[in-house]
PDB file of all heavy atoms in Angstrom:
ATOM      1  N   GLN A 203      89.412  89.985 105.978  1.00  0.00           N
ATOM      2  CA  GLN A 203      88.050  90.393 106.335  1.00  0.00           C
ATOM      3  C   GLN A 203      87.269  90.803 105.089  1.00  0.00           C
ATOM      4  O   GLN A 203      86.119  90.422 104.907  1.00  0.00           O
ATOM      5  CB  GLN A 203      88.089  91.540 107.350  1.00  0.00           C
ATOM      6  CG  GLN A 203      86.728  91.982 107.851  1.00  0.00           C
ATOM      7  CD  GLN A 203      86.050  90.924 108.714  1.00  0.00           C
ATOM      8  OE1 GLN A 203      86.680  89.994 109.197  1.00  0.00           O
ATOM      9  NE2 GLN A 203      84.756  91.056 108.894  1.00  0.00           N
ATOM     10  N   GLU A 204      87.935  91.533 104.207  1.00  0.00           N
ATOM     11  CA  GLU A 204      87.286  91.993 102.967  1.00  0.00           C
ATOM     12  C   GLU A 204      86.984  90.821 102.048  1.00  0.00           C
ATOM     13  O   GLU A 204      85.907  90.727 101.463  1.00  0.00           O
ATOM     14  CB  GLU A 204      88.211  93.005 102.265  1.00  0.00           C
ATOM     15  CG  GLU A 204      87.702  93.527 100.948  1.00  0.00           C
ATOM     16  CD  GLU A 204      88.172  92.718  99.758  1.00  0.00           C
ATOM     17  OE1 GLU A 204      89.226  92.089  99.823  1.00  0.00           O
ATOM     18  OE2 GLU A 204      87.437  92.732  98.751  1.00  0.00           O
ATOM     19  N   ALA A 205      87.917  89.888 101.919  1.00  0.00           N
ATOM     20  CA  ALA A 205      87.779  88.799 100.949  1.00  0.00           C
ATOM     21  C   ALA A 205      87.002  87.598 101.488  1.00  0.00           C
ATOM     22  O   ALA A 205      86.232  86.979 100.754  1.00  0.00           O
ATOM     23  CB  ALA A 205      89.164  88.344 100.493  1.00  0.00           C
ATOM     24  N   LYS A 206      87.189  87.265 102.760  1.00  0.00           N
ATOM     25  CA  LYS A 206      86.629  86.020 103.301  1.00  0.00           C
ATOM     26  C   LYS A 206      85.603  86.208 104.403  1.00  0.00           C
ATOM     27  O   LYS A 206      84.961  85.262 104.829  1.00  0.00           O
ATOM     28  CB  LYS A 206      87.760  85.123 103.839  1.00  0.00           C
ATOM     29  CG  LYS A 206      88.800  84.755 102.795  1.00  0.00           C
ATOM     30  CD  LYS A 206      88.184  83.891 101.712  1.00  0.00           C
ATOM     31  CE  LYS A 206      89.239  83.441 100.719  1.00  0.00           C
ATOM     32  NZ  LYS A 206      88.692  82.551  99.702  1.00  0.00           N
ATOM     33  N   GLY A 207      85.489  87.433 104.926  1.00  0.00           N
ATOM     34  CA  GLY A 207      84.512  87.673 105.983  1.00  0.00           C
ATOM     35  C   GLY A 207      85.089  87.449 107.372  1.00  0.00           C
ATOM     36  O   GLY A 207      86.306  87.418 107.564  1.00  0.00           O
ATOM     37  N   ASP A 208      84.197  87.266 108.329  1.00  0.00           N
ATOM     38  CA  ASP A 208      84.584  87.159 109.732  1.00  0.00           C
ATOM     39  C   ASP A 208      85.454  85.939 110.023  1.00  0.00           C
ATOM     40  O   ASP A 208      85.358  84.900 109.359  1.00  0.00           O
ATOM     41  CB  ASP A 208      83.341  87.093 110.622  1.00  0.00           C
ATOM     42  CG  ASP A 208      82.620  88.426 110.716  1.00  0.00           C
ATOM     43  OD1 ASP A 208      83.232  89.457 110.384  1.00  0.00           O
ATOM     44  OD2 ASP A 208      81.440  88.429 111.126  1.00  0.00           O
ATOM     45  N   TYR A 209      86.264  86.101 111.061  1.00  0.00           N
ATOM     46  CA  TYR A 209      87.122  85.013 111.558  1.00  0.00           C
ATOM     47  C   TYR A 209      86.234  83.854 111.991  1.00  0.00           C
ATOM     48  O   TYR A 209      85.221  84.051 112.668  1.00  0.00           O
ATOM     49  CB  TYR A 209      87.949  85.525 112.738  1.00  0.00           C
ATOM     50  CG  TYR A 209      88.662  84.438 113.485  1.00  0.00           C
ATOM     51  CD1 TYR A 209      89.905  83.988 113.057  1.00  0.00           C
ATOM     52  CD2 TYR A 209      88.093  83.856 114.607  1.00  0.00           C
ATOM     53  CE1 TYR A 209      90.566  82.970 113.734  1.00  0.00           C
ATOM     54  CE2 TYR A 209      88.748  82.843 115.293  1.00  0.00           C
ATOM     55  CZ  TYR A 209      89.976  82.406 114.846  1.00  0.00           C
ATOM     56  OH  TYR A 209      90.628  81.410 115.519  1.00  0.00           O
ATOM     57  N   SER A 210      86.631  82.623 111.607  1.00  0.00           N
ATOM     58  CA  SER A 210      85.873  81.451 112.056  1.00  0.00           C
ATOM     59  C   SER A 210      86.753  80.484 112.850  1.00  0.00           C
ATOM     60  O   SER A 210      86.343  79.981 113.886  1.00  0.00           O
ATOM     61  CB  SER A 210      85.219  80.735 110.878  1.00  0.00           C
ATOM     62  OG  SER A 210      86.193  80.329 109.931  1.00  0.00           O
ATOM     63  N   SER A 211      87.978  80.218 112.360  1.00  0.00           N
ATOM     64  CA  SER A 211      88.898  79.352 113.089  1.00  0.00           C
ATOM     65  C   SER A 211      90.319  79.583 112.580  1.00  0.00           C
ATOM     66  O   SER A 211      90.516  80.119 111.483  1.00  0.00           O
ATOM     67  CB  SER A 211      88.528  77.876 112.905  1.00  0.00           C
ATOM     68  OG  SER A 211      88.845  77.449 111.587  1.00  0.00           O
ATOM     69  N   ASN A 212      91.286  79.161 113.374  1.00  0.00           N
ATOM     70  CA  ASN A 212      92.686  79.310 112.971  1.00  0.00           C
ATOM     71  C   ASN A 212      92.977  78.528 111.696  1.00  0.00           C
ATOM     72  O   ASN A 212      93.694  79.011 110.821  1.00  0.00           O
ATOM     73  CB  ASN A 212      93.619  78.829 114.087  1.00  0.00           C
ATOM     74  CG  ASN A 212      93.703  79.811 115.235  1.00  0.00           C
ATOM     75  OD1 ASN A 212      93.035  80.837 115.258  1.00  0.00           O
ATOM     76  ND2 ASN A 212      94.524  79.489 116.211  1.00  0.00           N
ATOM     77  N   GLU A 213      92.432  77.308 111.586  1.00  0.00           N
ATOM     78  CA  GLU A 213      92.706  76.465 110.429  1.00  0.00           C
ATOM     79  C   GLU A 213      92.188  77.100 109.136  1.00  0.00           C
ATOM     80  O   GLU A 213      92.887  77.125 108.124  1.00  0.00           O
ATOM     81  CB  GLU A 213      92.084  75.065 110.609  1.00  0.00           C
ATOM     82  CG  GLU A 213      92.678  74.261 111.742  1.00  0.00           C
ATOM     83  CD  GLU A 213      92.195  74.711 113.126  1.00  0.00           C
ATOM     84  OE1 GLU A 213      91.071  75.245 113.246  1.00  0.00           O
ATOM     85  OE2 GLU A 213      92.974  74.565 114.096  1.00  0.00           O
ATOM     86  N   VAL A 214      90.953  77.600 109.183  1.00  0.00           N
ATOM     87  CA  VAL A 214      90.358  78.238 108.003  1.00  0.00           C
ATOM     88  C   VAL A 214      91.153  79.477 107.623  1.00  0.00           C
ATOM     89  O   VAL A 214      91.458  79.710 106.446  1.00  0.00           O
ATOM     90  CB  VAL A 214      88.871  78.597 108.257  1.00  0.00           C
ATOM     91  CG1 VAL A 214      88.310  79.461 107.147  1.00  0.00           C
ATOM     92  CG2 VAL A 214      88.045  77.330 108.427  1.00  0.00           C
ATOM     93  N   THR A 215      91.536  80.266 108.614  1.00  0.00           N
ATOM     94  CA  THR A 215      92.299  81.489 108.347  1.00  0.00           C
ATOM     95  C   THR A 215      93.664  81.161 107.756  1.00  0.00           C
ATOM     96  O   THR A 215      94.114  81.822 106.819  1.00  0.00           O
ATOM     97  CB  THR A 215      92.444  82.324 109.636  1.00  0.00           C
ATOM     98  OG1 THR A 215      91.143  82.594 110.160  1.00  0.00           O
ATOM     99  CG2 THR A 215      93.142  83.640 109.359  1.00  0.00           C
ATOM    100  N   ARG A 216      94.330  80.152 108.262  1.00  0.00           N
ATOM    101  CA  ARG A 216      95.637  79.753 107.714  1.00  0.00           C
ATOM    102  C   ARG A 216      95.492  79.308 106.250  1.00  0.00           C
ATOM    103  O   ARG A 216      96.321  79.660 105.413  1.00  0.00           O
ATOM    104  CB  ARG A 216      96.257  78.631 108.544  1.00  0.00           C
ATOM    105  CG  ARG A 216      96.788  79.092 109.876  1.00  0.00           C
ATOM    106  CD  ARG A 216      97.424  77.944 110.653  1.00  0.00           C
ATOM    107  NE  ARG A 216      97.526  78.249 112.060  1.00  0.00           N
ATOM    108  CZ  ARG A 216      98.433  79.046 112.605  1.00  0.00           C
ATOM    109  NH1 ARG A 216      99.322  79.634 111.855  1.00  0.00           N
ATOM    110  NH2 ARG A 216      98.447  79.275 113.904  1.00  0.00           N
ATOM    111  N   THR A 217      94.456  78.556 105.957  1.00  0.00           N
ATOM    112  CA  THR A 217      94.206  78.119 104.579  1.00  0.00           C
ATOM    113  C   THR A 217      93.948  79.321 103.679  1.00  0.00           C
ATOM    114  O   THR A 217      94.492  79.405 102.568  1.00  0.00           O
ATOM    115  CB  THR A 217      92.996  77.160 104.534  1.00  0.00           C
ATOM    116  OG1 THR A 217      93.265  76.043 105.376  1.00  0.00           O
ATOM    117  CG2 THR A 217      92.730  76.670 103.123  1.00  0.00           C
ATOM    118  N   ASP A 218      93.134  80.260 104.154  1.00  0.00           N
ATOM    119  CA  ASP A 218      92.846  81.471 103.376  1.00  0.00           C
ATOM    120  C   ASP A 218      94.108  82.295 103.142  1.00  0.00           C
ATOM    121  O   ASP A 218      94.304  82.833 102.054  1.00  0.00           O
ATOM    122  CB  ASP A 218      91.782  82.325 104.081  1.00  0.00           C
ATOM    123  CG  ASP A 218      90.404  81.670 104.076  1.00  0.00           C
ATOM    124  OD1 ASP A 218      90.171  80.771 103.231  1.00  0.00           O
ATOM    125  OD2 ASP A 218      89.573  82.056 104.909  1.00  0.00           O
ATOM    126  N   LEU A 219      94.961  82.383 104.153  1.00  0.00           N
ATOM    127  CA  LEU A 219      96.211  83.143 104.020  1.00  0.00           C
ATOM    128  C   LEU A 219      97.120  82.543 102.946  1.00  0.00           C
ATOM    129  O   LEU A 219      97.808  83.272 102.232  1.00  0.00           O
ATOM    130  CB  LEU A 219      96.972  83.178 105.346  1.00  0.00           C
ATOM    131  CG  LEU A 219      96.564  84.266 106.323  1.00  0.00           C
ATOM    132  CD1 LEU A 219      97.249  84.053 107.664  1.00  0.00           C
ATOM    133  CD2 LEU A 219      96.885  85.630 105.778  1.00  0.00           C
ATOM    134  N   LYS A 220      97.109  81.231 102.837  1.00  0.00           N
ATOM    135  CA  LYS A 220      97.941  80.573 101.825  1.00  0.00           C
ATOM    136  C   LYS A 220      97.414  80.831 100.413  1.00  0.00           C
ATOM    137  O   LYS A 220      98.168  80.837  99.447  1.00  0.00           O
ATOM    138  CB  LYS A 220      98.026  79.082 102.106  1.00  0.00           C
ATOM    139  CG  LYS A 220      98.906  78.778 103.317  1.00  0.00           C
ATOM    140  CD  LYS A 220      98.920  77.298 103.634  1.00  0.00           C
ATOM    141  CE  LYS A 220      99.869  76.937 104.747  1.00  0.00           C
ATOM    142  NZ  LYS A 220      99.593  77.466 106.031  1.00  0.00           N
ATOM    143  N   LYS A 221      96.102  81.065 100.293  1.00  0.00           N
ATOM    144  CA  LYS A 221      95.483  81.289  98.978  1.00  0.00           C
ATOM    145  C   LYS A 221      95.564  82.748  98.526  1.00  0.00           C
ATOM    146  O   LYS A 221      95.568  83.026  97.329  1.00  0.00           O
ATOM    147  CB  LYS A 221      94.012  80.866  99.012  1.00  0.00           C
ATOM    148  CG  LYS A 221      93.812  79.383  99.189  1.00  0.00           C
ATOM    149  CD  LYS A 221      92.337  79.065  99.276  1.00  0.00           C
ATOM    150  CE  LYS A 221      92.112  77.585  99.574  1.00  0.00           C
ATOM    151  NZ  LYS A 221      90.687  77.303  99.780  1.00  0.00           N
ATOM    152  N   LEU A 222      95.592  83.664  99.480  1.00  0.00           N
ATOM    153  CA  LEU A 222      95.596  85.098  99.148  1.00  0.00           C
ATOM    154  C   LEU A 222      97.016  85.651  99.169  1.00  0.00           C
ATOM    155  O   LEU A 222      97.779  85.355 100.090  1.00  0.00           O
ATOM    156  CB  LEU A 222      94.750  85.880 100.157  1.00  0.00           C
ATOM    157  CG  LEU A 222      93.255  85.631 100.144  1.00  0.00           C
ATOM    158  CD1 LEU A 222      92.604  86.317 101.342  1.00  0.00           C
ATOM    159  CD2 LEU A 222      92.638  86.135  98.860  1.00  0.00           C
ATOM    160  N   PRO A 223      97.372  86.481  98.198  1.00  0.00           N
ATOM    161  CA  PRO A 223      98.707  87.106  98.221  1.00  0.00           C
ATOM    162  C   PRO A 223      98.729  88.309  99.168  1.00  0.00           C
ATOM    163  O   PRO A 223      98.485  89.432  98.766  1.00  0.00           O
ATOM    164  CB  PRO A 223      98.908  87.540  96.768  1.00  0.00           C
ATOM    165  CG  PRO A 223      97.518  87.793  96.267  1.00  0.00           C
ATOM    166  CD  PRO A 223      96.628  86.834  97.000  1.00  0.00           C
ATOM    167  N   VAL A 224      98.985  88.050 100.450  1.00  0.00           N
ATOM    168  CA  VAL A 224      98.942  89.149 101.425  1.00  0.00           C
ATOM    169  C   VAL A 224     100.240  89.360 102.193  1.00  0.00           C
ATOM    170  O   VAL A 224     100.458  90.439 102.726  1.00  0.00           O
ATOM    171  CB  VAL A 224      97.777  88.976 102.436  1.00  0.00           C
ATOM    172  CG1 VAL A 224      96.440  89.058 101.749  1.00  0.00           C
ATOM    173  CG2 VAL A 224      97.893  87.673 103.195  1.00  0.00           C
TER     174      VAL A 224
END
Side-chain angles (χ1 to χ4, degrees):
Q203 184 68 17
E204 178 268 333
K206 301 295 184 177
D208 288 343
Y209 169 85
S210 58
S211 72
N212 285 3
E213 295 76 28
V214 170
T215 304
R216 286 181 199 283
T217 302
D218 291 340
L219 275 172
K220 287 177 175 64
K221 293 177 185 175
L222 292 171
V224 295

